Amino acid sequence: MQRDAAISLDNQLCFAVYALSREITKRYQPYLKELGLTYTQYITMLALWEDDRVAVKQLGARLLLDSGTLTPLLKKLETMGHLTRSRDPSDERSVIIALTDQGKKLKEQARDVPGRMFCQAGVTLEEADALRKHIASMMTKVQPNGIEEELKNDDL
Amino acid sequence: MQRDAAISLDNQLCFAVYALSREITKRYQPYLKELGLTYTQYITMLALWEDDRVAVKQLGARLLLDSGTLTPLLKKLETMGHLTRSRDPSDERSVIIALTDQGKKLKEQARDVPGRMFCQAGVTLEEADALRKHIASMMTKVQPNGIEEELKNDDL
DNA sequence: GCATTTTAAATTGTATACAATTTAATTTAT
DNA sequence: ATAAATTAAATTGTATACAATTTAAAATGC
């Protein structure tokens, strides 16, 4: 069976990452439910709490999501009253996302979510941070800011 | 801004894992296209190449996916001729998944996919394996084989 | 200055994920 | 043995992801 080691499920980095990602998302769910947010909506709000009044394009570059995912998600968050979507007067192609007061206020409730989640999961913040750095290092290797056809995106 | 460090996007393990998972999936896509498989179909086939003739329940325990995801996916793989789905005669509740010859043969084509993918991404197998182990270690902490209501699942 | 190209969102279509419910079969308790 | 509880898939409904296309606006080339 040695010759199958390369395609053994447990040897796949891709499966480990994929499974952990879904597991963490599930672990967040009860806490995010208190905020009335799904996981992707939460990630989007994290980005907006740091950097408000950005175009969908920039938000997508930050989250590595395209308009196909973001447009319906942002419309939902708009309906929920957390943000507004408006065309940029200086470039009508762009849609600027701006947090409402309600959206800004939600940040206070979100502040202790990561800490509570890791505490409940029995993971120290140091362990989480060590893994995060390891993953970030891999990410820079795997994605030197996009390949060939995406090289035009200088993102920032 | 120190007080916002806990909810800074770049500090979130969850976002790092989520982003890397999607990035790796995208990197696999061109190789999996040669096999005619999507990423989740590929992961499912990896599990089946190791362990054939299993119930959907067992496959789900291995992949951490439920029947809501697996049922349509397995029906698709059945339509593609890679496997068969049949009720277990000794327990009509269970559906047994068995690879066809075609499904078994696909394994040969899949054998060099991980190696080619990491080579192209500029990641050594050692680096990938080190991260995989780090993630697996976190997974055992975060998911000691499911919580409370899932404790009844002894899986194997 | 205007046709061509590029760009940003939105849309379309396919494939997941997963909670919650339903259906049918099996097991358990009495 | 049979009602009640449990279990395995399937189904339903919602929310992503993302490739590919479309639409409208802005930038570019000549």
Side-chain angles (χ1 to χ4, degrees), chain A residues 4 22 27 64 111 142, chain B residues 4 22 27 64 111 142:
Chain A
D4 284 346
R22 287 183 294 118
R27 290 296 188 131
L64 306 179
R111 209 176 291 281
V142 166
Chain B
D4 285 345
R22 287 183 294 119
R27 290 296 189 131
L64 305 180
R111 209 176 292 280
V142 165

Side-chain angles (χ1 to χ4, degrees), chain A residues 10 22 39 42 80 106 116:
Chain A
D10 284 334
R22 287 183 294 118
Y39 179 73
Y42 167 69
M80 294 162 73
L106 197 63
R116 288 166 63 202

Side-chain angles (χ1 to χ4, degrees), chain B residues 11-153:
Chain B
N11 285 346
Q12 304 306 311
L13 171 60
C14 66
F15 179 62
V17 175
Y18 165 74
L20 182 62
S21 179
R22 287 183 294 119
E23 183 63 26
I24 292 181
T25 302
K26 266 186 268 187
R27 290 296 189 131
Y28 264 104
Q29 222 219 333
Y31 302 101
L32 298 183
K33 202 169 187 176
E34 296 174 11
L35 309 191
L37 296 177
T38 64
Y39 180 74
T40 314
Q41 288 166 3
Y42 166 69
I43 290 294
T44 301
M45 292 301 286
L46 284 180
L48 290 172
W49 286 324
E50 278 187 332
D51 208 359
D52 202 354
R53 296 178 179 283
V54 292
V56 172
K57 183 75 180 176
Q58 292 167 271
L59 190 57
R62 183 84 172 100
L63 300 172
L64 305 180
L65 291 171
D66 68 10
S67 67
T69 302
L70 285 177
T71 295
L73 187 145
L74 293 168
K75 281 182 177 174
K76 187 72 193 295
L77 288 171
E78 183 183 37
T79 302
M80 294 162 71
H82 293 318
L83 53 82
T84 61
R85 298 161 60 250
S86 53
R87 292 279 165 184
D88 181 348
S90 73
D91 184 344
E92 293 279 342
R93 289 172 304 181
S94 293
V95 166
I96 305 296
I97 306 301
L99 290 175
T100 60
D101 287 346
Q102 180 194 121
K104 286 174 186 165
K105 202 173 291 177
L106 197 63
K107 183 177 184 177
E108 301 314 314
Q109 276 181 264
R111 209 176 292 280
D112 62 350
V113 165
R116 287 166 64 204
M117 184 282 198
F118 282 113
C119 177
Q120 192 275 332
V123 174
T124 69
L125 293 178
E126 287 73 24
E127 287 170 331
D129 210 51
L131 180 56
R132 182 189 59 72
K133 283 175 177 148
H134 199 162
I135 289 172
S137 157
M138 174 65 68
M139 193 69 174
T140 61
K141 280 170 192 149
V142 165
Q143 192 227 30
N145 245 354
I147 355 170
E148 285 79 72
E149 77 277 66
E150 280 169 49
L151 270 181
K152 19 187 171 169
N153 290 340

Side-chain angles (χ1 to χ4, degrees), chain A residues 32 35 37 41-54 59 77 82 97 99-114, chain B residues 1 4 7-9 12:
Chain A
L32 298 182
L35 309 191
L37 296 177
Q41 288 166 2
Y42 167 69
I43 290 296
T44 302
M45 292 301 286
L46 284 181
L48 290 172
W49 285 324
E50 278 188 331
D51 208 358
D52 201 358
R53 298 179 178 281
V54 292
L59 190 57
L77 288 172
H82 292 319
I97 306 301
L99 290 175
T100 59
D101 286 346
Q102 180 194 123
K104 287 174 186 165
K105 203 174 291 178
L106 197 63
K107 183 175 183 179
E108 302 313 314
Q109 275 181 265
R111 209 176 291 281
D112 61 350
V113 165
Chain B
M1 301 303 161
D4 285 345
I7 52 170
S8 139
L9 185 60
Q12 304 306 311

